[in-house]
Amino acid sequence: MKQELMEKYAALAIGTGVNVQEGQVVQIHASVDQYPFVRLLVKEAYARGAKRVDVEWADQPVTRMAYENETLEVLSEVPQWRREKLQLMTEELPCRLYVLSEDPDGLAGIDQQKMMKARQANARVAKPYRDAIDNKHQWSIVAMPSPEWARKVFPDLSEEEAFEKLGDAILQSVRVTEENDPAQAWAAHNATFAAVCEKLNAYRFTAMRYRSANGTNLEVGLMPESRWQGGGEYTLNGVYYNPNMPTEEVFTSPWAGKAEGTVVSTMPLSYNSQLIDGFSITFENGRAVSCQAEQGQALLEEMLAMDEGASMIGELALIPFDSPIANTGILFYETLFDENASCHIALGSGYENTMDGYETRSHEEAQAKGLNDSIIHVDFMIGAADLSIIGITEDGREIPVFIEGNWAPEFAQE
Ligand code: ZN
Ligand code: ZN
């Protein structure tokens, strides 16, 4: 990646992504091999007035060795110093930036049960702290190429070519080019999201109905408070930030407990470095009551049984079949990208801030209104060239939202 483009990208991530505020603490999570990019991020964060920048370094082979060598008991323990770090986070409300670059297969072959149980135990401890900072701080996820990831995406190219090509695809997806002003490009992108969401929200749909020849026939209820959103978001203090770079999705949180029918996946799901492929899930009263997978059946069943909310839907996301990321034709093996290439739904926790009036509501109140809660949030792809999605209004009108995989004319944007 050219130095000049990397600098532009770093400025975009710190400015438009997490939007560092004067005097704020900044937390950056990255792999050790990303240090050149991290240095640019740190420099940019201080230039924008960051009070302190903490970098949390990780190394996937080291993580792997921990899973291989430590007992489940040790892996599940959350030492006091980590709890205190989490506590400090709830007091300082840092902005948090994640730089993804890991090998999608880097944890393959590790004892799945052990890894899932350890993650479950850690997630349980972290959840109250995470809930406490929800909507109060800016966060963002960006990506950088690594040789291992590039090899997985472009197995037929030389290591050098694959690395270059993945870097180019990432920059293109986040709208960083030699000529443009990326911040301006994102402002235009966000304006497009706002226009679509305004139209969708005006209908106050009570349910969405999905149909495809592949067997998808699913109706999902929406809460009276469910609102569609996309692109940038505001913290409760009114700071605008972009949580996902790239993003192409318009999404909402449905009414947990109100889903009927079957949904068929259209892309493989990589979960804990293992593949679940060719699967369908059938819902009754909002809960997954059966699932069928050509590959990864046991893993899918375990995922759905992680906790009560893991078998219910927490997110509906709309992305046209003709999306810029889908049109690259690249399977990234990374949700940040692949979820932006296809309509998807998520099993597990919903997003409180997609609900009207979330600012003054507690987590418990949001859940009482029908927001799903879980320690997992796993997106899987359901977009198809023939997918139709109909929005159903309170008075029973059926409004086409997606026709043949793309936005109905009413919602299509230039
Ligand atoms: Zn999504
Ligand atoms: Zn999601």
Side-chain angles (χ1 to χ4, degrees), residues 131-325:
D131 285 350
I133 60 167
D134 220 12
N135 304 316
K136 292 183 185 153
H137 78 305
Q138 314 97 273
W139 58 275
S140 190
I141 309 176
V142 299
M144 280 293 283
S146 64
E148 297 78 14
W149 182 15
R151 195 183 312 128
K152 172 78 181 172
V153 177
F154 302 110
D156 301 330
L157 299 182
S158 73
E159 188 157 305
E160 209 168 302
E161 281 172 328
F163 186 79
E164 276 304 304
K165 203 164 172 195
L166 181 57
D168 290 347
I170 290 171
L171 289 175
Q172 192 193 329
S173 74
V174 294
R175 296 165 156 79
V176 173
T177 69
E178 270 169 68
E179 302 78 33
N180 80 343
D181 173 350
Q184 240 168 43
W186 275 82
H189 191 37
N190 279 322
T192 306
F193 283 123
V196 179
C197 292
E198 196 180 330
K199 284 182 195 168
L200 283 171
N201 288 330
Y203 281 108
R204 305 205 153 232
F205 293 129
T206 56
M208 306 302 286
R209 185 185 300 149
Y210 294 77
R211 290 259 162 86
S212 165
N214 68 13
T216 288
N217 187 354
L218 177 74
E219 191 167 314
V220 185
L222 298 184
M223 299 175 274
E225 294 83 7
S226 295
R227 290 296 168 268
W228 296 93
Q229 62 169 262
E233 299 179 10
Y234 287 94
T235 65
L236 288 171
N237 289 334
V239 180
Y240 193 68
Y241 67 103
N242 282 275
N244 281 214
M245 297 182 125
T247 184
E248 299 293 337
E249 67 174 329
V250 167
F251 66 101
T252 193
S253 304
W255 196 332
K258 296 206 186 264
E260 300 294 328
T262 297
V263 66
V264 179
S265 74
T266 53
M267 275 165 85
L269 165 64
S270 171
Y271 183 64
N272 287 350
S273 289
Q274 292 223 137
L275 224 53
I276 305 174
D277 200 8
F279 63 99
S280 66
I281 303 174
T282 299
F283 295 89
E284 273 175 35
N285 296 319
R287 271 163 224 277
V289 289
S290 66
C291 64
Q292 240 87 54
E294 281 164 26
Q295 187 185 344
Q297 174 80 24
L299 188 61
L300 179 59
E301 285 171 12
E302 272 165 31
M303 191 181 91
L304 289 166
M306 280 290 267
D307 61 13
E308 166 115 23
S311 68
M312 294 194 279
I313 301 174
E315 178 194 349
L316 302 178
L318 308 175
I319 296 102
F321 202 67
D322 276 328
S323 87
I325 294 176

Side-chain angles (χ1 to χ4, degrees), residues 249 315 339 344 346 351 377 379:
E249 67 174 329
E315 178 194 349
E339 74 163 1
H344 57 267
Y351 295 108
H377 176 100
D379 299 287

